[in-house]
Amino acid sequence: MATTHHHHKKPLSSTSSNYLFIFISISSNHQTIINQYNGTNCDYSDGRWFYDPTSRYDHTCKEIYKGWTAGANQILNWRWHPNHCPLPIFDPILFLHSHRGLSIGFVGDSLYRNMFVSLFCSLRRATDEVKKWRPVGADRGFTFLKYNLTIAYHRTNLLARYGRWSANDKGGQLESLGYKEGYRIDVDIPDGTWAEAPSFHDILIYNTGHWWWAPSKFDPVKSPMLFFKNGQPLIPPISPEIGLDLVLRHMISYVEEKARPGTVLFFRTQSPRHFEGGDWNEGGSCKRLQPLSPHEVEKFFSVQNNGTNVETRVVNEHLFEAIKGTAFRLLDITRMSEFRADAHPSSAGGKKHDDCMHWCLPGITDTWNDLFVARLSSIKVR
């Protein structure tokens, strides 16, 4: 994260206001899509950021991964204010009381650990009666004993089961096409880390996306994604985009079939990356000191520009299509997050490359949870 401290900066306004507003406009098409899936006329993605020096927890929260904080003096405190909807900072005591006896599961890649830890740290300040407890397959989990409320994080990169694949000496369909190695993705089989989650949790919130456009992980030539269904390779081999559609369709159907009656289901939109000057393995960095302007956002994320971070909106288009007519609600965090190029750990985590994908804590994932809790408040959970 950048080392310049925002709380030493004066607002960029000529007024004496204590708040620095970043105004954001969105297309009517985007708003129509979001309203369609939210089932509401309230579009939380249309709003503005303002600087707010208050914090709901600090960097000493024990669950914060060391690479996600740049120290207490470098935390950027901003709050999202939708233009047409109230979005209060959620009250942890009220949340614990109103969700007593329930279990919440975050299922997705490491960006969900960001969000899970944010929720844990906020709730942890309200009660110290916490016990580590992990449901089957969960990477980590906690029960707030006084309220019998469990939150858990199930780590999965693609939602579907996958693993290394190597050519068989006896040959096969893929071998006959010249494939020697790659990754096998079973589009119809859930990753074991979360396969039992729908039968346990009362509230489930899913995500996927970052690993689908990751040539450093799935090199199209050296280690391609090879898709299987019913135990057999899909021939001719399909592209990752088509593979994503198949996985989303099968995994959403699986969840709807396995979830208990009354389970609340969310799918979170893509969390944007902010690499400049190349991808993470190409010397890319994120040294911004404040949120992007609307013009800069389009430069980063416009599909037409085919930039380093373009997969953000591409993945969302696949997701919008996949959840049509399903029981899943959309949790849209993309637009509000696209502006926050300043909110990543950058070089603070001590890695050999800048981290412009995960988020500092405290930080923007606190706002994601504000939105999550606001959406839950209007839903009757069994």
Side-chain angles (χ1 to χ4, degrees):
M1 183 184 291
T3 57
T4 299
H5 310 327
H6 270 289
H7 58 277
H8 290 161
K9 286 181 172 284
K10 293 181 179 180
L12 301 180
S13 167
S14 59
T15 70
S16 59
S17 169
N18 290 326
Y19 297 132
L20 172 60
F21 287 88
I22 305 295
F23 290 94
I24 299 170
S25 63
I26 65 170
S27 70
S28 59
N29 181 57
H30 178 82
Q31 183 168 352
T32 300
I33 291 173
I34 298 306
N35 290 348
Q36 176 185 352
Y37 292 109
N38 281 348
T40 176
N41 292 324
C42 190
D43 184 4
Y44 288 101
S45 67
D46 179 12
R48 59 195 184 272
W49 286 102
F50 66 88
Y51 178 67
D52 178 3
T54 61
S55 178
R56 65 194 78 185
Y57 59 90
D58 62 35
H59 71 293
T60 61
C61 178
K62 65 179 182 179
E63 274 298 297
I64 297 178
Y65 174 63
K66 65 180 181 179
W68 294 346
T69 178
N73 294 325
Q74 297 178 5
I75 294 171
L76 306 181
N77 296 64
W78 294 75
R79 191 188 304 175
W80 178 252
H81 179 72
N83 288 332
H84 308 290
C85 323
L87 184 60
I89 294 177
F90 84 93
D91 181 333
I93 290 291
L94 179 60
F95 184 84
L96 288 164
H97 276 284
S98 60
H99 293 81
R100 184 188 297 271
L102 297 178
S103 180
I104 302 172
F106 293 83
V107 180
D109 57 34
S110 57
L111 274 300
Y112 256 174
R113 183 178 172 188
N114 249 171
M115 188 175 175
F116 164 82
V117 170
S118 166
L119 182 60
F120 169 81
C121 291
S122 295
L123 296 176
R124 180 66 177 79
R125 289 191 68 179
T127 176
D128 58 2
E129 297 181 32
V130 184
K131 180 181 180 180
K132 287 185 177 181
W133 188 78
R134 293 189 297 171
V136 175
D139 183 77
R140 54 206 337 104
F142 296 92
T143 297
F144 296 86
L145 298 175
K146 182 178 178 180
Y147 304 92
N148 191 29
L149 170 67
T150 294
I151 63 172
Y153 161 58
H154 298 257
R155 171 68 186 266
T156 176
N157 295 326
L158 304 177
L159 293 183
R161 185 180 73 181
Y162 81 98
R164 293 291 308 188
W165 176 90
S166 297
N168 190 317
D169 291 339
K170 297 180 181 179
Q173 290 178 296
L174 290 172
E175 289 84 350
S176 67
L177 295 174
Y179 287 97
K180 293 181 171 40
E181 59 181 342
Y183 283 89
R184 170 175 171 162
I185 296 97
D186 287 278
V187 300
D188 52 348
I189 301 177
D191 194 341
T193 58
W194 69 271
E196 299 299 321
S199 63
F200 176 80
H201 294 295
D202 303 291
I203 302 167
L204 281 162
I205 175 169
Y206 286 81
N207 94 292
T208 192
H210 284 289
W211 285 68
W212 287 90
W213 271 259
S216 58
K217 305 290 184 184
F218 304 108
D219 186 286
V221 176
K222 296 180 181 178
S223 54
M225 301 175 91
L226 303 170
F227 296 94
F228 283 65
K229 182 178 178 181
N230 296 325
Q232 299 298 318
L234 293 174
I235 303 297
I238 59 176
S239 68
E241 286 197 42
I242 297 175
L244 173 59
D245 289 335
L246 288 175
V247 167
L248 286 173
R249 187 168 75 232
H250 282 286
M251 296 305 106
I252 287 172
S253 295
Y254 175 86
V255 174
E256 290 184 314
E257 178 185 344
K258 297 294 183 181
R260 295 176 297 174
T263 300
V264 176
L265 304 174
F266 282 98
F267 222 112
R268 197 212 70 206
T269 60
Q270 187 74 347
S271 171
R273 307 182 306 151
H274 289 92
F275 287 98
E276 294 185 78
D279 214 327
W280 70 269
N281 59 338
E282 301 170 335
S285 63
C286 45
K287 304 187 183 304
R288 300 276 178 157
L289 302 180
Q290 58 188 24
L292 301 174
S293 69
H295 174 74
E296 289 171 322
V297 165
E298 288 309 306
K299 183 178 179 181
F300 263 81
F301 300 107
S302 171
V303 175
Q304 287 72 24
N305 288 338
N306 196 30
T308 303
N309 310 287
V310 72
E311 87 284 346
T312 299
R313 296 183 182 181
V314 173
V315 169
N316 280 352
E317 290 301 320
H318 288 265
L319 176 58
F320 293 154
E321 189 64 29
I323 68 172
K324 282 182 179 178
T326 74
F328 278 81
R329 295 172 168 89
L330 195 71
L331 190 73
D332 179 45
I333 56 83
T334 300
R335 185 65 177 177
M336 66 173 67
S337 306
E338 285 180 341
F339 290 80
R340 297 304 309 279
D342 59 314
H344 299 282
S346 185
S347 58
K351 295 182 179 179
K352 294 180 180 179
H353 57 83
D354 276 13
D355 185 349
C356 305
M357 180 172 71
H358 299 97
W359 304 94
C360 288
L361 293 177
I364 193 171
T365 51
D366 302 330
T367 302
W368 295 0
N369 279 314
D370 288 342
L371 178 59
F372 177 45
V373 173
R375 294 294 309 283
L376 279 177
S377 67
S378 64
I379 301 169
K380 183 178 180 181
V381 186
R382 62 181 177 84

